[in-house]
């Protein structure tokens, strides 16, 4: 059996480790358009902050590929798939044949069509290690950095470059920062914290025109800058499947076994749509834990073991300048809420289950809330009032505590 994996990130690692549980000898080839050992993408901002190193960013040790008998081919871009002959055609004209194929191509930065963007010399995105290194190379003390986007990528970039003593301004069309995961009140807490760390915002605005070093907003405000960072979001890389008639929506459509609509082709990670069990809707959930678990699921099925991954939920665990944020699930139903202006908690529940939560500041025991969502735990089996105020095992029944602490199952 020959397994080919397109992409060299978290989902690929999950797949390799799963395949090797079941098939010790089958050939595994990994095709990567980057030129790096597998690394943890969320850490690129910490590299710029000086909180980590390229060595510590590695997602697995140097010997991973040899120990797992993988052939890693760097600087190789998959151009198309020849389904009839079961081959992946590469950008250099060569090809790689496969018996089972995994698409783990992730996503690419969306570059908005702003008039004059072509005139800007120092413009960057911020999703890969090479992006971070390229951006760092042009920053000087007092550089004026304009970040387009006040979401996860834009704000992590802002934090990452903050120690360079640069002037940072963020522009976003939304009325709040982190608009995809926070509500109005929690967003305001985070925004004030970021402003206290010298990040300026122009919210509910967009750039209508760019000159070489001037951005013009929709109200004619002019913002001078030296470096432009485009961080308005990403788009899943679906073309390899879409071009051969496979089912795609915003992402590649997969089933609970990570199979695409094309026989012997699987997909995992940020390029996919899967079912969010908290809302029962299909969506792209670009999260490192989901990517690994999807890769693992794909690898198990590719190597002949029936395996289902059906516990995906949207979840984010991030921090900015010491302020921690964890969110998960969907924000619908009745609400439990508490806030003291610095710490913020909002839980959403209905139909006897927890649907989602927002925690800012004190995020201790967030894992208990996440478990309740993933397992769809009936709320009438625990002391929900207690768990809202003080999440802990004491809110569970005696039997459940025994199971969670000692692995006891009736």
């Amino acid at each position: 059996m020959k397994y080919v994996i397109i992409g060299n990130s978290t989902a690929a690692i999950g797949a390799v480790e799963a395949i090797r549980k079941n098939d010790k000898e089958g050939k595994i080839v990994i095709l990567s358009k980057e030129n790096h050992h597998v690394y943890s993408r969320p850490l690129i901002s910490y590299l710029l902050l000086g909180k980590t190193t390229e060595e510590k960013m590695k997602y697995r040790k140097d010997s991973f590929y040899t120990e797992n008998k993988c052939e890693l081919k760097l600087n190789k871009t998959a151009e198309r798939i020849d389904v009839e002959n079961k081959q992946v055609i590469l950008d250099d004209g060569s090809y790689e044949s496969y018996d089972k194929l995994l698409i783990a191509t992730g996503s690419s930065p969306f570059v908005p069509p702003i008039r004059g963007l072509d005139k800007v010399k120092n413009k960057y995105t911020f999703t890969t290690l090479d992006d971070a290194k390229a951006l760092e190379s042009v920053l000087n003390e007092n550089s004026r950095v304009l970040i387009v986007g006040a979401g996860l990528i834009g704000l992590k970039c802002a934090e990452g470059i903050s120690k360079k003593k640069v002037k940072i301004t963020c522009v976003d069309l939304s009325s709040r920062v982190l608009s995809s995961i926070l509500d109005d009140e929690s967003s305001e807490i985070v925004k004030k914290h970021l402003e206290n760390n010298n990040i300026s915002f122009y919210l509910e605005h967009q750039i209508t025109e760019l000159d070489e070093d001037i951005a013009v907003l929709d109200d004619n405000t002019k913002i001078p800058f030296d470096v432009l960072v485009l961080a308005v979001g990403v788009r899943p890389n679906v073309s390899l499947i879409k071009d051969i008639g496979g089912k795609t929506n915003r992402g590649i459509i997969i089933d609970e076994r990570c199979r695409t609509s094309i026989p012997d082709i699987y997909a995992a990670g940020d390029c996919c749509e899967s079912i969010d069990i908290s809302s029962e809707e299909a969506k792209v959930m670009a999260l490192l834990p989901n990517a690994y678990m999807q890769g693992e699921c794909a690898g198990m099925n590719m190597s002949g073991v029936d395996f289902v991954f059906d516990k995906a939920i949207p979840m984010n665990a991030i921090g900015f300048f010491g302020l921690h944020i964890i969110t998960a699930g969907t924000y619908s139903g009745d609400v439990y809420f508490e806030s003291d202006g610095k710490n913020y908690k909002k839980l959403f529940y209905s139909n006897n289950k927890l649907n989602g939560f927002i925690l800012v500041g004190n995020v201790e025991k967030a894992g208990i809330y996440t478990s309740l969502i993933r397992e769809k735990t009936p709320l009438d089996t625990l002391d929900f009032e207690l768990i809202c105020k003080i999440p802990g095992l004491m809110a569970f029944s005696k039997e459940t505590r025994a199971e969670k602490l000692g692995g006891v199952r009736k």
Side-chain angles (χ1 to χ4, degrees):
M1 184 69 71
K2 182 178 177 183
Y3 308 92
V4 174
I5 300 172
I6 304 175
N8 181 38
S9 195
T10 310
I13 298 305
V16 168
E17 292 179 342
I19 289 168
R20 284 296 177 237
K21 286 179 184 175
N22 310 313
D23 183 348
K24 305 295 185 188
E25 300 302 327
K27 186 173 183 180
I28 300 176
V29 177
I30 301 174
L31 305 171
S32 175
K33 66 179 181 181
E34 292 189 75
N35 193 34
H36 301 290
H37 182 93
V38 62
Y39 63 93
S40 182
R41 291 180 191 275
L43 295 181
I44 62 172
S45 62
Y46 294 105
L47 180 70
L48 298 191
L49 262 178
K51 287 187 173 182
T52 191
T53 63
E54 284 190 52
E55 190 62 32
K56 290 178 180 176
M57 285 175 66
K58 290 178 178 177
Y59 191 62
R60 290 293 185 269
K61 58 186 180 181
D62 287 339
S63 59
F64 173 83
Y65 301 104
T66 53
E67 286 179 1
N68 286 282
K69 299 178 184 174
C70 296
E71 184 180 353
L72 175 63
K73 296 189 174 184
L74 299 173
N75 290 322
K76 298 287 186 183
T77 300
E79 292 283 347
R80 62 185 177 87
I81 300 167
D82 179 346
V83 177
E84 188 175 342
N85 294 305
K86 298 186 82 167
Q87 294 175 345
V88 178
I89 313 303
L90 305 180
D91 55 344
D92 60 3
S94 65
Y95 67 87
E96 201 69 54
S97 60
Y98 66 87
D99 293 307
K100 303 288 182 181
L101 175 65
L102 175 64
I103 310 294
T105 48
S107 57
S108 297
F110 171 63
V111 177
I114 305 172
R115 189 168 62 183
L117 183 59
D118 57 321
K119 299 177 187 174
V120 179
K121 179 184 174 185
N122 289 323
K123 54 179 180 281
Y124 301 89
T125 53
F126 195 75
T127 58
T128 69
L129 176 56
D130 287 339
D131 289 342
K133 291 164 77 172
L135 175 60
E136 184 176 42
S137 72
V138 299
L139 294 178
N140 301 303
E141 191 169 326
N142 300 319
S143 288
R144 299 165 299 177
V145 181
L146 176 59
I147 300 175
V148 186
L152 290 162
I153 297 171
L155 295 184
K156 288 309 292 184
C157 175
E159 182 190 40
I161 64 176
S162 62
K163 279 203 169 174
K164 309 290 182 187
K165 304 236 177 344
V166 295
K167 184 175 186 234
I168 303 169
T169 304
C170 287
V171 175
D172 199 294
L173 192 55
S174 175
S175 61
R176 59 185 193 266
V177 303
L178 297 175
S179 60
S180 65
I181 63 169
L182 297 182
D183 59 6
D184 288 345
E185 302 102 308
S186 54
S187 176
E188 189 59 28
I189 292 171
V190 174
K191 177 172 172 278
K192 285 179 180 175
H193 180 72
L194 293 165
E195 288 173 333
N196 288 338
N197 283 277
N198 302 312
I199 298 173
S200 302
F201 293 95
Y202 287 87
L203 300 180
E204 296 185 87
H205 287 290
Q206 62 181 332
I207 297 172
T208 57
E209 187 174 0
L210 289 162
D211 206 337
E212 190 175 345
D213 57 1
I214 297 282
V216 182
L217 303 188
D218 46 11
D219 65 351
N220 214 35
T221 298
K222 293 181 174 59
I223 304 174
F225 66 89
D226 304 302
V227 178
L228 180 72
V229 180
L230 300 164
V232 293
V234 296
R235 288 186 170 173
N237 295 321
V238 303
S239 61
L240 287 173
I241 290 295
K242 189 174 183 178
D243 290 350
I244 55 175
K247 291 181 180 177
T248 63
N249 191 18
R250 184 161 176 260
I252 297 169
I253 296 173
I254 56 173
D255 66 10
E256 60 189 10
R257 290 170 175 81
C258 292
R259 297 176 297 202
T260 70
S261 59
I262 309 292
D264 296 325
I265 301 182
Y266 298 73
D270 297 3
C271 60
C272 299
E273 282 188 13
S274 50
I275 300 297
D276 165 13
I277 63 167
S278 67
S279 67
E280 298 182 347
E281 297 174 349
K283 59 179 69 169
V284 176
M285 287 175 277
L287 311 165
L288 190 143
N290 277 350
Y292 181 88
M293 288 185 280
Q294 284 178 342
E296 178 185 45
C297 175
M300 294 294 279
N301 286 288
M302 290 165 76
S303 54
V305 175
D306 188 50
F307 192 93
V308 167
F309 174 55
D310 57 359
K311 296 189 184 304
I313 59 171
M315 186 173 71
N316 287 281
I318 50 173
F320 301 102
F321 303 102
L323 179 68
H324 299 288
I325 303 162
I326 299 182
T327 68
T330 189
Y331 306 157
S332 64
D334 295 323
V335 171
Y336 171 84
F337 168 72
E338 62 181 60
S339 176
D340 61 9
K342 290 184 178 179
N343 299 295
Y344 184 93
K345 178 192 291 187
K346 189 174 274 191
L347 309 179
F348 302 83
Y349 60 96
S350 64
N351 301 321
N352 202 30
K353 63 184 176 67
L354 186 65
N355 300 323
F357 65 84
I358 300 171
L359 300 177
V360 178
N362 181 5
V363 298
E364 193 177 352
K365 306 285 180 67
I368 289 178
Y369 294 139
T370 305
S371 175
L372 292 178
I373 299 170
R374 278 198 198 277
E375 303 302 326
K376 296 187 177 181
T377 305
L379 298 183
D380 59 9
T381 64
L382 46 83
D383 186 339
F384 185 56
E385 185 177 348
L386 176 61
I387 217 163
C388 283
K389 295 176 181 175
I390 310 169
L393 287 177
M394 288 309 297
F396 292 85
S397 68
K398 183 178 179 181
E399 293 79 8
T400 303
R401 290 203 303 274
E403 181 183 317
K404 288 183 178 292
L405 291 172
V408 178
R409 285 187 182 273
K410 281 196 169 185

